[in-house]
Amino acid sequence: MNKKLNILIVAILFLSAQHVFGQEWTVPADKENVTNPSEYNLANVKKGKDIYQLNCKSCHGDAGKNNALPLVPVPPDVVSEKMQANTEGGLFYKITAGKGGMPQFETTLSEDDRWRLVNYIMNYNSKNEPVLVDAPPVKAKLLASVNEADKIVEIFAEYENKGEFVKLSGAPIIISAKKAFGNIELGKVLSDENGRAEFAIPENVIGDEEGFVNIVVALEENFEVVPVILDKAKVGKLKEVPKLIRGGEILWSTNENIQPWLLLTYLGAVGAAWLAIGYVVFQILKIRRYSKE
Amino acid sequence: MKKIESAEESRKLLDKITFDLTRSIVKKDEMTRFWFFILIMFIGVGLWGWIIQIDKGLGVTGMRDYVSWGMYIANFVFFVAVSLIGFLLSSALHLLKIDWAKPVSRVAEQVAIAGVALAGLIIVMDMGRPDRFLNVFLHGRFASPIIWDVTVVTTYLVISVLLFYLPLIPDLALLRDRMGSEVPKWKMKIYTILALGWNGNAKQYKTVYHAMRILMLLIIPVGLSIHTVTSWLFAATLRSGWDTTILGPYFVAGAFVAGSAAVIILMYAYRIRYGLKDYFEDIHFDQMGKLLVFVSLVYLYFNINEFLVPGYKMKSAEGVHLTNLFSGSFSSMFWIVQIVGLVLPIILLLCKYFRKPLPIAIISVFVLVSAWFKRYLIVIPTMEHPFLPVQNVPENFQTYSPTSIEIMITLFSFFAALMIISVLAKLFPVITIWEYAEEKGIDKKYLSETPKN
């Protein structure tokens, strides 16, 4: 019993000491020099970026912008020296194990994904030729129309090249539907060599009560473009009007929608009471009449 | 019932009864003036408070986003509750042919009229824009319990006034015929008009009996509905503490407790003030005491159901509410109300001694005051615990305490109710003379004689 307690106390002291003095984050030697099984190429770096945007950006911020959350210690920027001082094995270890404010990702991300994150971080390492370049956004223009009969959206995309707008080919175009609380993405299409794309609206898109959908056509982040909004395209399913108890009549509703039984009960009870009152008043008048007898 | 045969004796007894029971009307001394002065003072102060509230808006009250039903609504429920006694004493017991209740029925009817009239007024005073009061009727929704409540309160007021008036008609004729120089001319004029030319013929008596019977039957469903519908204002919501199926009978039982206490206090006041020892006899207090014990036991039974069952389960939101009542910020009020207003009176009134006039009147005061606080406990704690927190409000919005304006207006309602009762007592006998005389064996024919003097 006593022994156990001692171990516990020692363990607590040890752990809290770790916390207090744990400015240095050391990686076990055997983990330090593991080689990255995931090849350093555009596809992997891009995938790594997507995973980073989903899981890490909220704390670490955007690469190179130094906009991390003000935690203690501050999560280092991906581009920062501190981050880049790690070996690939070290990065993998740290992402896997976590420490303090840095969560562990061993159970939430697959090994492959963690290695791709390392690929993404290594994109900013001086030893590597960057494969992913964050170019300044390109100005672009979109033209879109909808064919309601075939439920197809036709899009033309152009981008600015040396002061002139030319066809934008091979760019992903995002089609969404405008809803009360933001846009819901319906899908993506790539523009062809003429900057043209066609998007078939899925059958299951729900419009308003008459089937109208407001479609938003936009490009990905790295383009500066005004999204095209196609208002009231009749391409959706009719929104189902919820079936209320007994059609339109609901309790606590306006008089137009009152339940007949409720109205009848009310009017019946009130009518009966006041009829009786009227009868009594009539009796009182009779008393007056009888006084002449 | 023994009949007095001799005409001489009958006339003498009737004279005495009339003399005693009209003392309240005739009596005019310093005390009367002082009483009315006090009443008018407080009513004036309360009206002044109301003017401030109309001018500045409901912001002068303690009601905010969390607690939007404050002391006014609690007070409203209290007055509706008190008024219900009219239906119990002057109808239900009458129909059950319980004789001792007869002299008490006019007192009960006074309480009923004052209570329900004030209940209606309090609702108007709770409105931010009383000038829009008519919109309740013009644009009311039939599906809303609030409309049902407004309707039933109005109906009950009319029936109560009629039930007060009908048995009064023969008395009014008596006053018209017998009162002379003792009362001012305007009063005599009121008696003459309201007596409807009553001369006491058989047809007239038959009509009065018939109409009274109709009203007594009518007031039973209406009386039950008035307080049941008032309880539905709460029970038709999902809020913890209100969302229970027994709230209707719970309210009705509680109303009888409050109303009986009010009637006992008033009986005692009349007995002392107008020397009516031989009319509000010890036996009446004794019987009222038994009635109070009975209705209190019924109420206790509902209380046990209302608190023990959810208290046993302590469902999340309900549990917060109940903990607040049992051991939280409302606990002292809650336990005092339950013990002083319910448990102790039951125990004490089981002894014959405490059913004597003075002790029972004192106990009734405690019962009545507790009844008021009980309504406060029904309305406010629930409002302080909404299911969804109201967001971005200052800290002081989350709890409620009434402001001085609210207290002023609430005091107004008490004194206005007392004013109605006092005026009724000053204008009309507090016991139905003709019924009482008949009870004592005086033939009806002597009632319509004009004494030659």
Side-chain angles (χ1 to χ4, degrees), chain A residues 61-109:
Chain A
D62 299 302
K65 290 200 179 153
N66 275 314
N67 55 354
L69 270 194
L71 302 174
V72 184
V74 180
D77 195 293
V78 179
V79 184
S80 68
E81 259 175 53
K82 194 175 180 202
M83 188 69 106
Q84 295 300 336
N86 288 293
T87 63
E88 294 197 35
L91 285 174
F92 183 81
Y93 170 77
K94 289 181 177 177
I95 297 167
T96 306
K99 171 171 160 281
M102 166 70 193
Q104 59 86 14
F105 286 93
E106 188 172 5
T107 51
T108 44
L109 291 177

Short mmCIF file of all heavy atoms in Angstrom, two decimals, chain A residues 61-109:
data_model
loop_
_atom_site.label_atom_id
_atom_site.label_comp_id
_atom_site.label_asym_id
_atom_site.label_seq_id
_atom_site.Cartn_x
_atom_site.Cartn_y
_atom_site.Cartn_z
N GLY A 61 -2.27 27.99 -37.56
CA GLY A 61 -2.45 29.10 -38.49
C GLY A 61 -1.96 28.76 -39.88
O GLY A 61 -1.61 27.62 -40.18
N ASP A 62 -1.96 29.79 -40.77
CA ASP A 62 -1.55 29.58 -42.17
C ASP A 62 -0.03 29.63 -42.28
O ASP A 62 0.63 30.42 -41.58
CB ASP A 62 -2.17 30.67 -43.05
CG ASP A 62 -3.68 30.63 -43.00
OD1 ASP A 62 -4.25 29.58 -43.33
OD2 ASP A 62 -4.29 31.66 -42.58
N ALA A 63 0.46 28.83 -43.19
CA ALA A 63 1.91 28.75 -43.37
C ALA A 63 2.47 30.12 -43.70
O ALA A 63 2.00 30.79 -44.61
CB ALA A 63 2.23 27.76 -44.48
N GLY A 64 3.45 30.56 -42.92
CA GLY A 64 4.15 31.80 -43.22
C GLY A 64 3.45 33.05 -42.74
O GLY A 64 3.97 34.15 -42.86
N LYS A 65 2.26 32.92 -42.19
CA LYS A 65 1.54 34.14 -41.79
C LYS A 65 1.66 34.44 -40.31
O LYS A 65 1.18 35.48 -39.85
CB LYS A 65 0.06 34.00 -42.18
CG LYS A 65 -0.14 34.04 -43.69
CD LYS A 65 -1.55 34.37 -44.08
CE LYS A 65 -1.68 34.44 -45.59
NZ LYS A 65 -3.03 34.12 -46.02
N ASN A 66 2.26 33.54 -39.56
CA ASN A 66 2.43 33.74 -38.13
C ASN A 66 1.14 34.11 -37.40
O ASN A 66 1.10 35.03 -36.59
CB ASN A 66 3.50 34.81 -37.86
CG ASN A 66 4.89 34.19 -37.88
OD1 ASN A 66 5.09 33.12 -37.27
ND2 ASN A 66 5.81 34.82 -38.58
N ASN A 67 0.07 33.41 -37.76
CA ASN A 67 -1.23 33.73 -37.13
C ASN A 67 -1.73 32.54 -36.29
O ASN A 67 -2.90 32.21 -36.31
CB ASN A 67 -2.26 34.13 -38.17
CG ASN A 67 -2.41 33.08 -39.26
OD1 ASN A 67 -1.66 32.10 -39.28
ND2 ASN A 67 -3.37 33.27 -40.15
N ALA A 68 -0.80 31.94 -35.54
CA ALA A 68 -1.19 30.82 -34.69
C ALA A 68 -2.01 31.30 -33.50
O ALA A 68 -2.02 32.50 -33.18
CB ALA A 68 0.04 30.09 -34.19
N LEU A 69 -2.71 30.35 -32.85
CA LEU A 69 -3.46 30.70 -31.64
C LEU A 69 -2.48 31.10 -30.53
O LEU A 69 -1.43 30.48 -30.41
CB LEU A 69 -4.27 29.49 -31.14
CG LEU A 69 -5.68 29.25 -31.63
CD1 LEU A 69 -6.34 28.22 -30.73
CD2 LEU A 69 -6.50 30.54 -31.62
N PRO A 70 -2.82 32.07 -29.72
CA PRO A 70 -1.89 32.48 -28.64
C PRO A 70 -1.88 31.51 -27.48
O PRO A 70 -2.30 31.85 -26.37
CB PRO A 70 -2.43 33.85 -28.24
CG PRO A 70 -3.87 33.81 -28.58
CD PRO A 70 -4.00 32.90 -29.77
N LEU A 71 -1.43 30.28 -27.71
CA LEU A 71 -1.35 29.30 -26.62
C LEU A 71 0.02 29.38 -25.98
O LEU A 71 0.92 30.04 -26.50
CB LEU A 71 -1.58 27.89 -27.17
CG LEU A 71 -2.90 27.64 -27.90
CD1 LEU A 71 -2.90 26.25 -28.52
CD2 LEU A 71 -4.07 27.80 -26.94
N VAL A 72 0.16 28.72 -24.82
CA VAL A 72 1.47 28.68 -24.18
C VAL A 72 1.92 27.22 -24.11
O VAL A 72 1.26 26.42 -23.46
CB VAL A 72 1.42 29.26 -22.75
CG1 VAL A 72 2.82 29.29 -22.17
CG2 VAL A 72 0.80 30.64 -22.78
N PRO A 73 3.03 26.83 -24.73
CA PRO A 73 3.81 27.64 -25.69
C PRO A 73 3.05 27.81 -26.99
O PRO A 73 2.18 27.04 -27.31
CB PRO A 73 5.07 26.81 -25.89
CG PRO A 73 4.66 25.41 -25.57
CD PRO A 73 3.56 25.49 -24.56
N VAL A 74 3.44 28.84 -27.75
CA VAL A 74 2.74 29.15 -28.99
C VAL A 74 3.02 28.03 -30.00
O VAL A 74 4.17 27.61 -30.16
CB VAL A 74 3.22 30.50 -29.55
CG1 VAL A 74 2.50 30.82 -30.85
CG2 VAL A 74 2.98 31.60 -28.54
N PRO A 75 1.98 27.52 -30.67
CA PRO A 75 2.23 26.51 -31.71
C PRO A 75 3.06 27.16 -32.82
O PRO A 75 2.65 28.18 -33.37
CB PRO A 75 0.82 26.18 -32.23
CG PRO A 75 -0.13 26.74 -31.21
CD PRO A 75 0.56 27.85 -30.51
N PRO A 76 4.22 26.59 -33.12
CA PRO A 76 5.09 27.26 -34.10
C PRO A 76 4.50 27.21 -35.51
O PRO A 76 3.79 26.27 -35.88
CB PRO A 76 6.39 26.46 -34.03
CG PRO A 76 6.06 25.21 -33.32
CD PRO A 76 4.83 25.41 -32.53
N ASP A 77 4.82 28.27 -36.27
CA ASP A 77 4.39 28.34 -37.66
C ASP A 77 5.10 27.23 -38.45
O ASP A 77 6.23 26.85 -38.13
CB ASP A 77 4.76 29.71 -38.24
CG ASP A 77 4.05 30.01 -39.55
OD1 ASP A 77 4.35 29.33 -40.55
OD2 ASP A 77 3.20 30.91 -39.54
N VAL A 78 4.41 26.71 -39.47
CA VAL A 78 4.99 25.63 -40.27
C VAL A 78 6.33 26.06 -40.88
O VAL A 78 7.28 25.28 -40.96
CB VAL A 78 4.00 25.21 -41.37
CG1 VAL A 78 4.59 24.11 -42.23
CG2 VAL A 78 2.69 24.76 -40.78
N VAL A 79 6.38 27.33 -41.27
CA VAL A 79 7.56 27.84 -41.97
C VAL A 79 8.70 28.14 -40.99
O VAL A 79 9.86 28.18 -41.38
CB VAL A 79 7.17 29.10 -42.76
CG1 VAL A 79 8.32 29.62 -43.59
CG2 VAL A 79 5.97 28.80 -43.66
N SER A 80 8.37 28.29 -39.70
CA SER A 80 9.33 28.81 -38.74
C SER A 80 10.56 27.91 -38.60
O SER A 80 10.51 26.71 -38.88
CB SER A 80 8.67 28.94 -37.38
OG SER A 80 8.38 27.66 -36.88
N GLU A 81 11.63 28.52 -38.13
CA GLU A 81 12.88 27.77 -37.92
C GLU A 81 12.66 26.64 -36.93
O GLU A 81 13.17 25.54 -37.10
CB GLU A 81 13.95 28.71 -37.35
CG GLU A 81 14.95 29.19 -38.38
CD GLU A 81 15.89 30.20 -37.75
OE1 GLU A 81 16.48 29.87 -36.71
OE2 GLU A 81 15.97 31.33 -38.27
N LYS A 82 11.92 26.96 -35.88
CA LYS A 82 11.70 25.98 -34.83
C LYS A 82 11.08 24.70 -35.41
O LYS A 82 11.49 23.59 -35.07
CB LYS A 82 10.76 26.57 -33.78
CG LYS A 82 10.75 25.75 -32.50
CD LYS A 82 9.90 26.44 -31.44
CE LYS A 82 9.91 25.61 -30.18
NZ LYS A 82 8.76 25.88 -29.32
N MET A 83 10.12 24.88 -36.28
CA MET A 83 9.44 23.73 -36.88
C MET A 83 10.41 23.03 -37.82
O MET A 83 10.52 21.80 -37.81
CB MET A 83 8.21 24.22 -37.64
CG MET A 83 7.31 23.13 -38.16
SD MET A 83 6.49 22.26 -36.82
CE MET A 83 4.85 22.86 -36.94
N GLN A 84 11.10 23.82 -38.60
CA GLN A 84 11.95 23.23 -39.64
C GLN A 84 13.22 22.61 -39.06
O GLN A 84 13.91 21.86 -39.75
CB GLN A 84 12.29 24.29 -40.69
CG GLN A 84 11.07 24.77 -41.48
CD GLN A 84 10.37 23.64 -42.23
OE1 GLN A 84 10.98 22.61 -42.55
NE2 GLN A 84 9.07 23.82 -42.50
N ALA A 85 13.55 22.91 -37.79
CA ALA A 85 14.73 22.30 -37.15
C ALA A 85 14.52 20.81 -36.92
O ALA A 85 15.47 20.08 -36.69
CB ALA A 85 15.03 23.02 -35.84
N ASN A 86 13.28 20.37 -36.96
CA ASN A 86 12.99 18.95 -36.72
C ASN A 86 13.43 18.10 -37.91
O ASN A 86 13.39 18.55 -39.06
CB ASN A 86 11.49 18.75 -36.53
CG ASN A 86 11.02 19.30 -35.20
OD1 ASN A 86 11.38 18.78 -34.16
ND2 ASN A 86 10.22 20.36 -35.27
N THR A 87 13.81 16.87 -37.59
CA THR A 87 14.01 15.91 -38.68
C THR A 87 12.64 15.38 -39.07
O THR A 87 11.65 15.58 -38.35
CB THR A 87 14.87 14.72 -38.22
OG1 THR A 87 14.14 14.04 -37.19
CG2 THR A 87 16.22 15.18 -37.71
N GLU A 88 12.57 14.68 -40.21
CA GLU A 88 11.27 14.17 -40.63
C GLU A 88 10.75 13.17 -39.60
O GLU A 88 9.56 13.16 -39.27
CB GLU A 88 11.38 13.50 -42.01
CG GLU A 88 11.71 14.52 -43.09
CD GLU A 88 11.42 14.02 -44.50
OE1 GLU A 88 10.44 13.28 -44.70
OE2 GLU A 88 12.18 14.38 -45.40
N GLY A 89 11.68 12.34 -39.09
CA GLY A 89 11.26 11.38 -38.07
C GLY A 89 10.79 12.08 -36.82
O GLY A 89 9.81 11.69 -36.17
N GLY A 90 11.47 13.18 -36.48
CA GLY A 90 11.09 13.95 -35.31
C GLY A 90 9.70 14.54 -35.45
O GLY A 90 8.87 14.50 -34.53
N LEU A 91 9.42 15.11 -36.64
CA LEU A 91 8.09 15.67 -36.90
C LEU A 91 7.03 14.58 -36.73
O LEU A 91 6.02 14.77 -36.05
CB LEU A 91 8.02 16.25 -38.32
CG LEU A 91 8.71 17.58 -38.56
CD1 LEU A 91 8.66 17.93 -40.04
CD2 LEU A 91 8.06 18.68 -37.73
N PHE A 92 7.31 13.45 -37.35
CA PHE A 92 6.35 12.35 -37.29
C PHE A 92 6.10 11.96 -35.84
O PHE A 92 4.96 11.76 -35.42
CB PHE A 92 6.87 11.15 -38.08
CG PHE A 92 5.89 10.01 -38.11
CD1 PHE A 92 4.83 10.00 -39.00
CD2 PHE A 92 6.03 8.94 -37.23
CE1 PHE A 92 3.93 8.95 -39.03
CE2 PHE A 92 5.12 7.89 -37.24
CZ PHE A 92 4.07 7.90 -38.14
N TYR A 93 7.18 11.89 -35.07
CA TYR A 93 7.05 11.50 -33.67
C TYR A 93 6.19 12.51 -32.91
O TYR A 93 5.29 12.15 -32.15
CB TYR A 93 8.42 11.38 -33.02
CG TYR A 93 8.32 11.22 -31.52
CD1 TYR A 93 7.96 10.00 -30.96
CD2 TYR A 93 8.54 12.31 -30.67
CE1 TYR A 93 7.84 9.86 -29.60
CE2 TYR A 93 8.41 12.17 -29.31
CZ TYR A 93 8.06 10.95 -28.77
OH TYR A 93 7.92 10.81 -27.42
N LYS A 94 6.50 13.80 -33.13
CA LYS A 94 5.79 14.83 -32.37
C LYS A 94 4.31 14.87 -32.73
O LYS A 94 3.44 15.02 -31.86
CB LYS A 94 6.43 16.20 -32.60
CG LYS A 94 7.80 16.30 -31.92
CD LYS A 94 8.44 17.66 -32.11
CE LYS A 94 9.76 17.70 -31.35
NZ LYS A 94 10.48 18.97 -31.56
N ILE A 95 4.01 14.72 -34.04
CA ILE A 95 2.61 14.71 -34.45
C ILE A 95 1.90 13.49 -33.86
O ILE A 95 0.75 13.56 -33.42
CB ILE A 95 2.48 14.70 -35.99
CG1 ILE A 95 3.10 15.98 -36.57
CG2 ILE A 95 1.03 14.58 -36.44
CD1 ILE A 95 3.30 15.93 -38.08
N THR A 96 2.62 12.39 -33.82
CA THR A 96 2.02 11.16 -33.31
C THR A 96 1.76 11.24 -31.81
O THR A 96 0.67 10.92 -31.33
CB THR A 96 2.95 9.97 -33.60
OG1 THR A 96 3.24 9.95 -34.99
CG2 THR A 96 2.29 8.66 -33.19
N ALA A 97 2.78 11.72 -31.08
CA ALA A 97 2.70 11.64 -29.62
C ALA A 97 1.98 12.84 -28.99
O ALA A 97 1.24 12.71 -28.02
CB ALA A 97 4.10 11.51 -29.04
N GLY A 98 2.25 14.02 -29.53
CA GLY A 98 1.68 15.22 -28.91
C GLY A 98 2.33 15.55 -27.60
O GLY A 98 3.06 14.74 -27.01
N LYS A 99 2.06 16.74 -27.08
CA LYS A 99 2.62 17.12 -25.78
C LYS A 99 1.94 18.42 -25.34
O LYS A 99 1.86 19.38 -26.09
CB LYS A 99 4.13 17.35 -25.91
CG LYS A 99 4.79 17.95 -24.69
CD LYS A 99 6.31 17.93 -24.86
CE LYS A 99 6.98 18.91 -23.94
NZ LYS A 99 6.91 20.30 -24.47
N GLY A 100 1.44 18.44 -24.10
CA GLY A 100 0.81 19.66 -23.57
C GLY A 100 -0.35 20.10 -24.45
O GLY A 100 -1.26 19.33 -24.71
N GLY A 101 -0.25 21.33 -24.95
CA GLY A 101 -1.32 21.88 -25.77
C GLY A 101 -1.41 21.21 -27.13
O GLY A 101 -2.42 21.33 -27.82
N MET A 102 -0.37 20.52 -27.53
CA MET A 102 -0.36 19.84 -28.84
C MET A 102 -0.99 18.46 -28.68
O MET A 102 -0.44 17.61 -27.98
CB MET A 102 1.09 19.75 -29.32
CG MET A 102 1.32 18.81 -30.47
SD MET A 102 0.63 19.42 -31.99
CE MET A 102 0.72 17.96 -33.00
N PRO A 103 -2.16 18.24 -29.32
CA PRO A 103 -2.81 16.94 -29.14
C PRO A 103 -2.05 15.83 -29.87
O PRO A 103 -1.32 16.10 -30.82
CB PRO A 103 -4.19 17.14 -29.76
CG PRO A 103 -4.12 18.37 -30.57
CD PRO A 103 -2.92 19.15 -30.18
N GLN A 104 -2.24 14.59 -29.44
CA GLN A 104 -1.66 13.47 -30.17
C GLN A 104 -2.58 13.13 -31.34
O GLN A 104 -3.79 13.31 -31.26
CB GLN A 104 -1.47 12.26 -29.24
CG GLN A 104 -2.75 11.74 -28.58
CD GLN A 104 -3.51 10.74 -29.43
OE1 GLN A 104 -2.98 10.22 -30.42
NE2 GLN A 104 -4.76 10.51 -29.07
N PHE A 105 -1.96 12.69 -32.44
CA PHE A 105 -2.80 12.33 -33.59
C PHE A 105 -2.67 10.86 -33.93
O PHE A 105 -3.07 10.42 -35.00
CB PHE A 105 -2.45 13.22 -34.79
CG PHE A 105 -2.98 14.62 -34.63
CD1 PHE A 105 -2.20 15.63 -34.08
CD2 PHE A 105 -4.27 14.92 -35.00
CE1 PHE A 105 -2.70 16.90 -33.91
CE2 PHE A 105 -4.78 16.20 -34.83
CZ PHE A 105 -3.99 17.20 -34.28
N GLU A 106 -2.09 10.11 -32.99
CA GLU A 106 -1.87 8.69 -33.24
C GLU A 106 -3.20 7.98 -33.51
O GLU A 106 -3.31 7.15 -34.38
CB GLU A 106 -1.18 8.06 -32.04
CG GLU A 106 -0.74 6.64 -32.30
CD GLU A 106 0.12 6.07 -31.19
OE1 GLU A 106 0.29 6.76 -30.16
OE2 GLU A 106 0.61 4.94 -31.36
N THR A 107 -4.21 8.35 -32.73
CA THR A 107 -5.48 7.65 -32.84
C THR A 107 -6.43 8.30 -33.84
O THR A 107 -7.43 7.71 -34.21
CB THR A 107 -6.19 7.59 -31.48
OG1 THR A 107 -6.23 8.91 -30.94
CG2 THR A 107 -5.45 6.69 -30.53
N THR A 108 -6.15 9.54 -34.25
CA THR A 108 -7.12 10.20 -35.12
C THR A 108 -6.68 10.26 -36.57
O THR A 108 -7.52 10.41 -37.45
CB THR A 108 -7.40 11.63 -34.63
OG1 THR A 108 -6.17 12.24 -34.27
CG2 THR A 108 -8.32 11.63 -33.43
N LEU A 109 -5.38 10.19 -36.85
CA LEU A 109 -4.92 10.23 -38.24
C LEU A 109 -4.15 8.95 -38.54
O LEU A 109 -3.42 8.44 -37.68
CB LEU A 109 -4.01 11.44 -38.47
CG LEU A 109 -4.66 12.82 -38.42
CD1 LEU A 109 -3.60 13.89 -38.60
CD2 LEU A 109 -5.74 12.96 -39.48
#
